[in-house]
Amino acid sequence: MPERSNPPTPASAAKFIFVTGGVTSSLGKGIISASLAKLLQARGFRVTIQKFDPYINIDPGTLNPYEHGECYVTDDGAETDLDLGHYERFLNTPTSQANNVTTGRIYDTVIRREREGAFLGKTVQVVPHITDEIKRRMLLLGQGGEFDVVITEIGGCIGDIESLPFVEAVRQLRWELPPNDSLVIHLTLLPYLAAAGELKTKPTQHSVRDLREAGLQPDILVCRTEHSIPPEMRRKIALFCNVKINSVIESLDADTIYSVPLMMLKEQLDERVIKRLKLTGGAPQPDLEVWKDFLGRLKNPTEEVTIALVGKYVELPDAYKSINESFVHAGALNECRVKVRSIQSDHLTPENVAENLRGVDAVLVAPGFGERGFEGKIAAVQYVRENGIPFFGICLGMQVAVVEYARHVLGLPDANSTEMDALTPHPVIAMMESQKDITQKGGTMRLGAYACDLRRGSRAAKAYGKTHISERHRHRFEFNGEYLAQFEAAGMQASGTNPETGLVEIIELPQTVHPWFVAGQFHPELKSTVENPHPLFVRFVRAAMQYRKG
C-alpha cells in the first residue's frame, strides 16, 4: 500500500473552532474568539483558546513592543502574544505554553527532529511534515479531556504567504476530524464608503474567495462594520459567500471590547456554533450576570481620576495593553472612570516633571528594558514621592523607585542598576546570579509565576487580604539584598519576598510617610481579569480617588 502522507488524526472528545481573518489586520479576531469563548463558557462548556502566529520568531519575547505590542507571560513562563491576555481577561482561566504557537516554533521542532533522524532519511517538506506538526499542536489541548471546545485563532490575513501552512493544516483537519467536530469562522470587513453612502461587500466576497481557493469554506462569517447590515445585504453576502443567511454575523464597532460578548449574544453567534457542532449539555442561555454587572459599573461611573502612565513605548497603546485593561477592571470595581495620560519618559527631566505631571491623581511607572527613558522615570518617581502623589511601580518601575530612593534618601548619588551602569559604585539593582552566564536572549529571563510572602500589616498584605501570593515575572535584574538593611533603616520596607530565594518582590513606604507608594518586581497586570480585578490596581485607583478629593 502507498504510504499515507497524513497520519490518522487522534480521537478527541473536544470540538474545534478555527477563526481566520481577511481584508485587513486588526479586525479583532482575538476579541471575537474571546467573546465566543465567554458565551460558551457562560453556558457551562469548558473552553480554551489558542493563537497560531505566522512570524518566524520562536516567540515574541525578543520583539520590540513597537513591533508586536506587549509580550504576555503565562504562569508556566511562556512569552506569548498579547491576545492571550484577552483570552485570560475574558475567561478568567490561565493559559499556557500550548496556547501560543509560532511558525518559528513549528519549524524549530521539525528541524530538531530531522537532525535527530526522526524522519528516517525522507525529504522533509511543508506538506506533510510542517502541516503535521501544526495539526498536532492544534489538537493538543483537546486531547486531555480538560476542554469541550478549543478555539484556534489563526494570525495574519488570508492570502498572506506566511499563513498558508496554517490554513492548509486546518483544511486537512476539516477532512480528518469527524463530522460536526469542527467549524471555521471567518472575520472580514464591510467598509463604508461615504461618497457612495453605503457599505460594500466586495472585499468580503474576495476574502472568502481567497479562503475557498485555499480549500476552506467558512461556516460562519463575522462582518466588522461601522453601520448595521441591511437584510438584503446579508442575503447577498450569504449568496455570494455560500453560507446560510443566519450565519452572517454583524460585528458593529463597540464602545468597549467588553460589550462584544453581549453583541455576539444578540447576533446569536453562540447558538449558531452550538447547532453546527451539535454541542450538548450546556445551559439554554448563558449566565452573564457578573459580566453585565461589570459593564454597568464600567459605563456608569460615579467618579473620575487621571493617572499618568510613564513609559518609553507610550506611542503604541498595545505596548501596555494589560496595564490599560487592569485600569478598566479596577476602575469599574471602584465605580470610577480611569483616564490614562501617557507620558513619554524620554521627555521627562527634573526641570519639566512638575509641568508634565500637573493635574494627575496618581502615577504608574511602567516596565521596560534598557537605559532609554530611565532618568526620566527617576525624575517622575522623585516628584511623586516628595509631593505625596500615589505611586505604583511595575518591574523596572520598582527598580527605578529603588534607585531614586538610594540617590535622594540614602545619600548614594551614584546608585544605579547595573543594567544602566555596569560600573556603578552602588549597584542597588543588579543582575540575578542565575542570569550571569546566560548568552541567549530568548526565553531565558526569570519567567512565569513565583511565590511571594507578604509582611503582615503591610499595604500589600492588606490589598491582597492574605500573606502568601503568586505572581508572574519577566526580568533579569533584581533588588540587591546587600543594601536591604540600609533601605529599611531609611524607611523603605521590603513588604514581599520570595520564600525560597529571599528575592525582594515588593517595596513600599508606610502610610505615615506617603499616601500610597508601592512597587513590585512582578507584573500584576498579567493576572487582572473582568471577574477578578488585581487587588494592587484596585487599591491604587482607590488611592487616586482619595488624592483627588484632597
Side-chain angles (χ1 to χ4, degrees):
M1 290 181 64
E3 181 187 16
R4 180 186 173 94
S5 60
N6 295 323
T9 300
S12 171
K15 307 280 189 174
F16 296 89
I17 299 170
F18 301 99
V19 180
T20 60
V23 183
T24 180
S25 59
S26 301
L27 285 182
K29 292 193 301 294
I31 299 301
I32 291 296
S33 299
S35 297
L36 172 59
K38 186 66 198 177
L39 294 177
L40 295 175
Q41 183 192 62
R43 287 177 179 265
F45 296 109
R46 300 168 301 163
V47 189
T48 190
I49 319 175
Q50 55 188 354
K51 175 76 179 289
F52 278 64
D53 274 311
Y55 52 79
I56 298 177
N57 303 69
I58 297 290
D59 56 47
T62 56
L63 287 173
N64 187 304
Y66 283 134
E67 287 280 329
H68 204 68
E70 77 172 0
C71 177
Y72 192 81
V73 179
T74 59
D75 276 343
D76 63 352
E79 294 178 291
T80 70
D81 184 80
L82 62 82
D83 273 330
L84 270 69
H86 291 312
Y87 307 161
E88 291 199 7
R89 288 188 283 271
F90 275 60
L91 296 181
N92 198 40
T93 55
T95 54
S96 70
Q97 179 77 62
N99 290 80
N100 191 202
V101 180
T102 68
T103 291
R105 191 172 296 281
I106 294 292
Y107 273 82
D108 183 60
T109 300
V110 172
I111 291 170
R112 287 175 186 270
R113 293 188 63 216
E114 185 273 332
R115 293 289 83 187
E116 293 166 359
F119 299 111
L120 303 177
K122 290 190 175 296
T123 303
V124 179
Q125 297 175 289
V126 173
V127 180
H129 303 99
I130 296 298
T131 52
D132 280 352
E133 178 62 18
I134 293 172
K135 289 189 294 181
R136 184 185 73 81
R137 289 179 180 266
M138 284 180 170
L139 297 174
L140 201 58
L141 288 170
Q143 292 171 346
E146 187 179 353
F147 301 108
D148 302 309
V149 179
V150 177
I151 300 175
T152 301
E153 178 191 346
I154 306 297
C157 288
I158 291 301
D160 293 347
I161 292 174
E162 57 263 35
S163 297
L164 288 175
F166 293 124
V167 177
E168 169 61 18
V170 175
R171 184 196 68 78
Q172 293 177 22
L173 281 177
R174 294 301 305 275
W175 282 101
E176 295 169 9
L177 289 168
N180 305 116
D181 271 17
S182 68
L183 65 80
V184 172
I185 297 174
H186 188 55
L187 181 62
T188 185
L189 177 68
L190 289 182
Y192 179 80
L193 295 187
E198 62 180 355
L199 295 167
K200 291 295 183 181
T201 66
K202 195 64 69 177
T204 290
Q205 293 178 47
H206 285 185
S207 179
V208 172
R209 182 190 65 190
D210 289 347
L211 187 64
R212 293 173 70 183
E213 285 179 353
L216 280 181
Q217 167 63 46
D219 300 287
I220 296 172
L221 282 179
V222 177
C223 301
R224 274 297 303 273
T225 173
E226 299 175 31
H227 303 275
S228 291
I229 308 173
E232 62 273 16
M233 186 168 286
R234 290 201 194 216
R235 285 192 291 271
K236 179 181 179 181
I237 293 170
L239 175 65
F240 282 92
C241 297
N242 201 30
V243 298
K244 294 184 181 296
I245 189 169
N246 58 3
S247 291
V248 178
I249 304 296
E250 174 185 278
S251 178
L252 285 165
D253 291 350
D255 53 351
T256 167
I257 59 173
Y258 300 108
S259 294
V260 178
L262 297 185
M263 294 166 64
M264 292 301 100
L265 176 65
K266 183 179 178 182
E267 284 288 300
Q268 300 180 340
L269 174 60
D270 55 330
E271 290 187 19
R272 296 302 306 152
V273 167
I274 288 169
K275 289 178 182 177
R276 175 66 179 78
L277 292 177
K278 296 191 176 190
L279 281 167
T280 58
Q285 290 296 323
D287 179 4
L288 293 168
E289 291 308 308
V290 173
W291 196 270
K292 290 176 180 177
D293 178 67
F294 161 76
L295 272 177
R297 291 170 176 266
L298 177 62
K299 295 183 178 183
N300 300 283
T302 58
E303 298 186 47
E304 180 178 288
V305 296
T306 299
I307 297 179
L309 173 59
V310 179
K312 67 177 184 177
Y313 304 115
V314 294
E315 289 85 357
L316 181 69
D318 276 357
Y320 302 114
K321 189 67 177 176
S322 292
I323 291 174
N324 286 316
E325 296 307 317
S326 297
F327 280 135
V328 173
H329 308 153
L333 188 67
N334 284 297
E335 297 185 66
C336 175
R337 176 181 289 112
V338 178
K339 295 175 66 177
V340 178
R341 183 193 298 177
S342 297
I343 298 177
Q344 173 56 259
S345 56
D346 276 14
H347 301 160
L348 288 179
T349 65
E351 292 73 32
N352 69 19
V353 66
E355 178 65 26
N356 277 280
L357 296 181
R358 179 176 295 153
V360 304
D361 304 304
V363 173
L364 185 148
V365 173
F369 297 93
E371 187 176 0
R372 184 171 68 84
F374 186 76
E375 293 300 325
K377 292 179 179 180
I378 293 281
V381 173
Q382 181 180 7
Y383 182 80
V384 298
R385 180 181 58 78
E386 293 178 349
N387 289 276
I389 301 171
F391 164 76
F392 189 16
I394 295 177
C395 197
L396 182 64
M398 176 194 125
Q399 297 175 5
V400 168
V402 169
V403 172
E404 188 280 325
Y405 205 77
R407 290 181 184 179
H408 303 121
V409 178
L410 269 61
L412 306 174
D414 296 323
N416 214 329
S417 164
T418 55
E419 180 182 9
M420 315 307 164
D421 179 5
L423 301 178
T424 174
H426 296 292
V428 292
I429 301 294
M431 181 172 281
M432 304 174 68
E433 285 298 323
S434 60
Q435 293 286 318
K436 289 182 178 179
D437 296 326
I438 291 175
T439 56
Q440 286 193 329
K441 297 297 184 185
T444 57
M445 286 183 277
R446 186 174 188 242
L447 292 165
Y450 287 87
C452 175
D453 289 339
L454 303 180
R455 180 180 294 188
R456 293 185 182 277
S458 65
R459 293 177 190 265
K462 290 176 181 177
Y464 282 96
K466 53 187 176 183
T467 57
H468 185 74
I469 61 170
S470 174
E471 292 285 2
R472 299 177 189 177
H473 292 249
R474 185 174 184 249
H475 64 103
R476 297 186 192 279
F477 296 81
E478 64 173 322
F479 184 99
N480 187 341
E482 293 180 7
Y483 289 86
L484 181 57
Q486 291 184 55
F487 276 92
E488 297 223 319
M492 179 173 277
Q493 299 177 353
S495 57
T497 55
N498 180 273
E500 295 181 2
T501 63
L503 171 67
V504 174
E505 301 276 19
I506 305 176
I507 57 97
E508 62 181 63
L509 295 178
Q511 184 80 36
T512 54
V513 175
H514 196 280
W516 176 266
F517 192 101
V518 177
Q521 182 60 74
F522 49 83
H523 290 261
E525 73 275 18
L526 301 181
K527 284 205 168 184
S528 185
T529 69
V530 168
E531 294 183 22
N532 288 296
H534 196 283
L536 291 181
F537 275 91
V538 172
R539 290 298 183 102
F540 180 51
V541 170
R542 198 170 298 164
M545 293 165 64
Q546 293 169 352
Y547 179 84
R548 187 179 183 91
K549 293 174 184 176

